[in-house]
Amino acid sequence: MKKIAQVLPLIFFVFISTTFAQETITKWIRVQSNNGEFSIEVPTQSNYFYDKEVFTIGIDSSTYYLKEMSMINAYKEKTLLSFETYAAKKDALKGFYQPDKGKNNIVDIKLNTITAKQVIYKKDNIYSKSLYFYSKKNIFVVTAVSKNGETSAMKHFFDSIIFNADTKTQPNAAAVPFSSLNVTAIDLKFPKESEAKTEKKVEIPKDEIPKDENLNKLTIISKPKPAYTDSARARGVQGLIRLKVLFSQDGFMPKIEVSKSLPEGLLRQVIFSAIRIKFLPEEKDGNPQSVTKTIEYNFTLY
């Protein structure tokens, strides 16, 4: 329990959920990076995540540090809309789009004065589109996913991007800067020491799972892989981290329960990877539903 308690101060997560009345037609607001170079329109019912502290991603044999993470997720018109920004070195950008190589359509496109990687993924009934680009020590990732091809919400989302790296350009006065967004704490739960020792994963035999013809299961589109920390590698830490995650009907994760953990900063790595999962919510009779699922991350040294 002591080791888990030591990790807790490192993983403070915050979300905002803008509160508006339920709408049948999507309404949009424009938000922008604090320096004004990037802005985009998002649904008024969106969820914002921010963390200033550092976590890492591994690319080949190199480790890159990411900090000042901002992320907005929304689920409107059966479409997941998400963007992320990080303060990082330029070489870290390939860690975001590199997993897509060989299985998706990746092309370079011009976004004002910079070049962005555009990734389009099509498989069965899944359609996703992402943009990856870098400017002024910041990485930007814009993603949209649906089961119905390019939806109107997806098109609006990408068409609304305004990017200008000119430092003399004034921020858009009508846009809301990230730093002005309200935040609320994510529900992050750790097990009691007795629970951690006795916790077991329960598997339900497939033939015992009732079938529901009106149920569309949760669809995980991407599950980023957490990187080993230098201290965990040096100490030979191996094993499993298990989380119980609430996959919200709004396309984000408001509750994470740690069922099994590991030391040396690996839990923080896993939490950040879990929050970056892209998914389409479970649906019942065509309506999105929140559902809790168990996800696992294995750490093995070769």
Side-chain angles (χ1 to χ4, degrees):
M1 184 65 181
K2 184 178 180 181
K3 291 182 179 179
I4 293 178
Q6 290 173 342
V7 177
L8 181 57
L10 296 176
I11 40 182
F12 177 73
F13 302 100
V14 287
F15 272 88
I16 70 113
S17 180
T18 50
T19 53
F20 293 87
Q22 288 291 332
E23 303 158 331
T24 56
I25 300 176
T26 302
K27 293 185 178 180
W28 304 78
I29 59 171
R30 180 166 290 279
V31 297
Q32 69 182 353
S33 57
N34 292 331
N35 63 7
E37 70 174 348
F38 169 82
S39 73
I40 191 170
E41 290 191 4
V42 299
T44 52
Q45 292 179 317
S46 298
N47 300 280
Y48 175 67
F49 167 86
Y50 174 77
D51 191 277
K52 184 178 181 179
E53 301 301 324
V54 174
F55 73 108
T56 63
I57 60 172
I59 307 170
D60 301 324
S61 59
S62 300
T63 298
Y64 295 92
Y65 293 87
L66 308 176
K67 60 182 180 178
E68 296 180 19
M69 176 185 181
S70 288
M71 181 174 74
I72 284 184
N73 280 5
Y75 185 72
K76 301 298 291 185
E77 301 176 27
K78 297 186 181 297
T79 306
L80 173 69
L81 306 170
S82 174
F83 78 77
E84 310 160 51
T85 69
Y86 306 86
K89 292 184 177 180
K90 185 176 182 179
D91 286 348
L93 181 63
K94 63 183 179 181
F96 289 88
Y97 68 80
Q98 193 176 54
D100 295 325
K101 284 188 175 181
K103 62 180 181 180
N104 298 321
N105 180 20
I106 303 180
V107 297
D108 290 340
I109 65 169
K110 274 293 184 182
L111 192 62
N112 289 41
T113 57
I114 66 169
T115 299
K117 296 287 185 181
Q118 178 180 274
V119 178
I120 295 178
Y121 174 75
K122 299 178 183 179
K123 184 176 180 181
D124 300 328
N125 61 339
I126 299 299
Y127 179 88
S128 73
K129 180 179 178 181
S130 299
L131 286 181
Y132 305 86
F133 53 99
Y134 179 88
S135 174
K136 295 180 185 175
K137 301 181 181 180
N138 290 288
I139 286 173
F140 299 87
V141 181
V142 185
T143 302
V145 186
S146 82
K147 292 183 178 180
N148 303 303
E150 186 178 37
T151 64
S152 59
M154 187 183 299
K155 189 175 188 305
H156 184 114
F157 189 54
F158 281 101
D159 287 349
S160 73
I161 294 175
I162 297 176
F163 185 84
N164 194 329
D166 184 356
T167 55
K168 297 180 181 180
T169 301
Q170 294 297 315
N172 186 340
V176 180
F178 297 161
S179 59
S180 295
L181 296 173
N182 296 323
V183 297
T184 56
I186 188 173
D187 185 1
L188 183 61
K189 180 180 178 182
F190 295 89
K192 297 178 181 178
E193 189 171 4
S194 59
E195 293 175 347
K197 289 181 178 179
T198 59
E199 190 273 338
K200 295 181 179 180
K201 184 180 179 182
V202 178
E203 295 285 357
I204 302 176
K206 292 183 179 181
D207 57 358
E208 294 183 15
I209 300 177
K211 294 182 179 180
D212 188 339
E213 299 298 332
N214 297 315
L215 184 68
N216 288 322
K217 294 290 187 178
L218 169 80
T219 303
I220 293 180
I221 308 302
S222 64
K223 182 184 176 185
K225 184 178 179 180
Y228 251 106
T229 60
D230 293 338
S231 60
R233 190 180 298 277
R235 289 168 174 77
V237 177
Q238 299 186 85
L240 179 75
I241 291 181
R242 182 178 298 134
L243 307 177
K244 293 180 181 178
V245 177
L246 178 61
F247 291 87
S248 166
Q249 64 184 20
D250 296 326
F252 70 104
M253 300 173 182
K255 183 176 181 180
I256 298 176
E257 179 179 345
V258 180
S259 299
K260 186 175 178 62
S261 185
L262 290 173
E264 302 298 335
L266 293 179
L267 180 57
R268 179 177 176 84
Q269 291 290 99
V270 162
I271 295 292
F272 271 95
S273 295
I275 288 173
R276 292 173 52 222
I277 288 176
K278 300 297 183 285
F279 68 94
L280 295 175
E282 184 165 293
E283 290 187 358
K284 173 74 173 179
D285 296 322
N287 299 311
Q289 307 288 316
S290 297
V291 61
T292 299
K293 297 289 185 181
T294 296
I295 57 176
E296 297 180 342
Y297 296 85
N298 278 292
F299 289 88
T300 303
L301 290 171
Y302 297 97

